[in-house]
Amino acid sequence: MARLVLPYISFIVFLLLMCMATQPGTGTTHSDEVKALGEIAEQLGKKDWNMNVDPCINDSSWSTPKLDSRPLYNNSLICNCLDSVCHVVALFLTGQDLAGVLPRSLVKLPYLKSLDLTRNFLSGNIPHEWVSTKLEFLSLSVNNLSGPIPNFLGSITTLRYMSIENNLFSGLVPIELGKLVNLENLILSTNNLSGELPVALTSLNNLTELRISSNNFTGRMLDFFQSWKKLEKLEIQASGFEGPIPSSISILSNLIELRISDLVGEGSNFPNLSSMTGMTKLMLRSCNIYGQIPTYISNMTQLRIL
Ligand SMILES: *[C@@H]1O[C@H](CO)[C@@H](O)[C@H](O)[C@H]1NC(C)=O
Ligand SMILES: *[C@@H]1O[C@H](CO)[C@@H](O)[C@H](O)[C@H]1NC(C)=O
Ligand SMILES: *[C@@H]1O[C@H](CO)[C@@H](O)[C@H](O)[C@H]1NC(C)=O
Ligand SMILES: *[C@@H]1O[C@H](CO)[C@@H](O)[C@H](O)[C@H]1NC(C)=O
Ligand SMILES: *[C@@H]1O[C@H](CO)[C@@H](O)[C@H](O)[C@H]1NC(C)=O
Ligand SMILES: *[C@@H]1O[C@H](CO)[C@@H](O)[C@H](O)[C@H]1NC(C)=O
Ligand SMILES: *[C@@H]1O[C@H](CO)[C@@H](O)[C@H](O)[C@H]1NC(C)=O
Ligand SMILES: *[C@@H]1O[C@H](CO)[C@@H](O)[C@H](O)[C@H]1NC(C)=O
């Protein structure tokens, strides 16, 4: 009996192994990166990664992109496998109530391009080790991070998306952020940032989205729009800045969402928004605007919120 069945069992096992080996995205994670992930778990306070299975085989402990019971939850690790060696390229650990700190050992994942730690309880500041990462996407939104925005963030020049929204960051926006010339999205809203925005930010010519609402900035509203002609979304609500809205805003013909509110200080006529024909959301609340609403508003046929 055993002699008859054994070849079949062997064959089935062989088929299963073949099947696993040819699944997309499978392979063996580089051992240094597996070790690094163990350290990262400890620093983040993440307890549910199964360290007994390879991180890149798409095991559910390493990759559960969706939980119906928790709409804001995402637990995804994405690998890039070549010649049966896998490297971690993206980590999305959102809405998980992680209560540790930002992991120093992140730098031991040299292929990592995207990191999303949105909606946790991480505290402390950004570790200096991150200066040698090659991140392109970084979201630390909705955490408990505090202290100044570190100058060395300006050295991660690969960054194209950066959000530190909804934390307790304070102090000045560092001049060094002007070195992030590839930035397309810069989101600093809902912190306790103060002072004026540094003129160095005029080198961010590729910005399409800038949100700096709910902060404690001072002085006149920035007049950097000449340098930010690609802007599509601009949000400056209750930022602390004084009016009026600089007239150079008229140059932003790609704007589709504009929200400015609660400007203190001097008022002005309605700003010239006539070139922004693709506008979908326009909000100018408590900005001390007087005079008539211009008739070109009726040509903004995409407008959904006014
Ligand atoms: C990984 O598993 C999830 C289900 O847990 C599935 O939706 C996804 O397509 C899988 N990805 C790959 C690359 O196999
Ligand atoms: C979870 O994150 C992965 C990686 O970014 C993404 O592909 C997926 O769409 C996300 N899932 C949800 C439900 O947002
Ligand atoms: C938030 O961080 C502060 C230190 O900056 C700490 O005292 C506090 O306990 C943290 N809160 C939570 C909910 O983790
Ligand atoms: C905001 O920052 C200022 C210093 O710039 C500090 O005095 C104040 O305590 C901070 N407020 C909060 C709520 O952290
Ligand atoms: C801006 O984006 C363009 C096109 O994506 C890219 O070629 C360029 O290097 C980026 N940086 C600057 C400073 O223009
Ligand atoms: C904003 O800064 C001023 C002084 O610069 C300070 O008096 C005030 O408490 C700060 N507001 C918050 C919410 O921290
Ligand atoms: C409004 O701005 C547009 C685009 O910058 C410009 O062509 C136009 O002359 C301006 N209109 C007024 C009344 O200043
Ligand atoms: C609205 O657009 C039309 C067609 O482009 C143009 O002729 C008209 O002058 C515009 N109206 C206003 C008030 O700008």
Side-chain angles (χ1 to χ4, degrees):
M1 189 66 180
R3 233 184 295 157
L4 275 174
V5 172
L6 207 59
Y8 287 103
I9 293 177
S10 312
F11 184 64
I12 288 167
V13 168
F14 172 74
L15 277 183
L16 278 174
L17 285 174
M18 280 294 288
C19 195
M20 281 168 72
T22 52
Q23 254 180 30
T26 58
T28 312
T29 312
H30 195 285
S31 60
D32 291 350
E33 296 187 33
V34 176
K35 189 161 167 276
L37 285 164
E39 296 172 16
I40 288 168
E42 203 161 298
Q43 291 155 15
L44 286 169
K46 184 162 173 63
K47 302 191 173 76
D48 55 2
W49 272 340
N50 183 355
M51 297 305 296
N52 295 318
V53 299
D54 191 276
C56 290
I57 63 163
N58 201 25
D59 167 78
S60 65
S61 90
W62 293 94
S63 204
T64 309
K66 194 168 160 31
L67 275 188
D68 287 335
S69 56
R70 296 172 68 182
L72 302 171
Y73 179 96
N74 194 343
N75 185 55
S76 301
L77 175 140
I78 297 172
C79 299
N80 200 350
C81 302
L82 219 122
D83 299 332
S84 79
V85 180
C86 295
H87 298 291
V88 181
V89 294
L91 263 181
F92 293 81
L93 309 173
T94 67
Q96 301 196 10
D97 299 349
L98 300 173
V101 295
L102 297 178
R104 272 177 288 114
S105 299
L106 198 75
V107 61
K108 299 181 185 172
L109 300 176
Y111 294 82
L112 192 73
K113 287 191 158 57
S114 303
L115 177 67
D116 192 342
L117 297 172
T118 301
R119 291 181 199 277
N120 285 294
F121 293 105
L122 301 169
S123 48
N125 203 320
I126 299 169
H128 190 267
E129 285 84 348
W130 286 20
V131 69
S132 39
T133 64
K134 296 279 178 289
L135 288 172
E136 293 173 11
F137 179 99
L138 174 62
S139 173
L140 305 174
S141 304
V142 200
N143 273 287
N144 183 34
L145 303 169
S146 56
I149 299 177
N151 299 348
F152 61 75
L153 263 192
S155 302
I156 312 177
T157 51
T158 41
L159 279 172
R160 297 198 300 148
Y161 180 106
M162 180 168 97
S163 173
I164 59 166
E165 177 177 21
N166 232 303
N167 278 287
L168 304 167
F169 284 108
S170 56
L172 304 175
V173 173
I175 295 170
E176 286 79 359
L177 292 196
K179 293 192 286 183
L180 300 175
V181 292
N182 293 307
L183 265 192
E184 290 166 17
N185 312 76
L186 176 60
I187 302 161
L188 306 175
S189 299
T190 320
N191 278 288
N192 180 24
L193 301 170
S194 53
E196 296 184 359
L197 285 188
V199 178
L201 295 189
T202 53
S203 38
L204 307 184
N205 303 130
N206 272 351
L207 277 188
T208 58
E209 179 180 22
L210 177 68
R211 295 200 267 128
I212 56 172
S213 301
S214 300
N215 272 295
N216 204 4
F217 292 119
T218 46
R220 293 289 281 269
M221 203 170 130
L222 46 148
D223 192 356
F224 301 162
F225 299 127
Q226 296 280 354
S227 310
W228 294 339
K229 291 196 184 101
K230 291 189 185 171
L231 272 184
E232 293 168 11
K233 298 181 183 178
L234 177 62
E235 236 186 77
I236 312 179
Q237 297 200 69
S239 61
F241 283 126
E242 287 167 29
I245 298 167
S247 62
S248 64
I249 200 169
S250 69
I251 208 159
L252 302 180
S253 58
N254 295 312
L255 270 190
I256 54 171
E257 291 182 20
L258 174 63
R259 293 180 174 87
I260 303 179
S261 79
D262 306 283
L263 294 180
V264 293
E266 240 176 275
S268 68
N269 278 310
F270 203 93
N272 177 4
L273 312 180
S274 64
S275 66
M276 303 163 200
T277 50
M279 192 75 83
T280 61
K281 297 177 183 171
L282 174 59
M283 182 192 287
L284 299 170
R285 180 166 51 80
S286 284
C287 293
N288 295 327
I289 292 168
Y290 50 78
Q292 291 187 327
I293 295 177
T295 50
Y296 60 74
I297 297 283
S298 66
N299 267 1
M300 295 180 176
T301 52
Q302 314 291 313
L303 208 53
R304 286 185 284 129
I305 295 179
L306 174 60

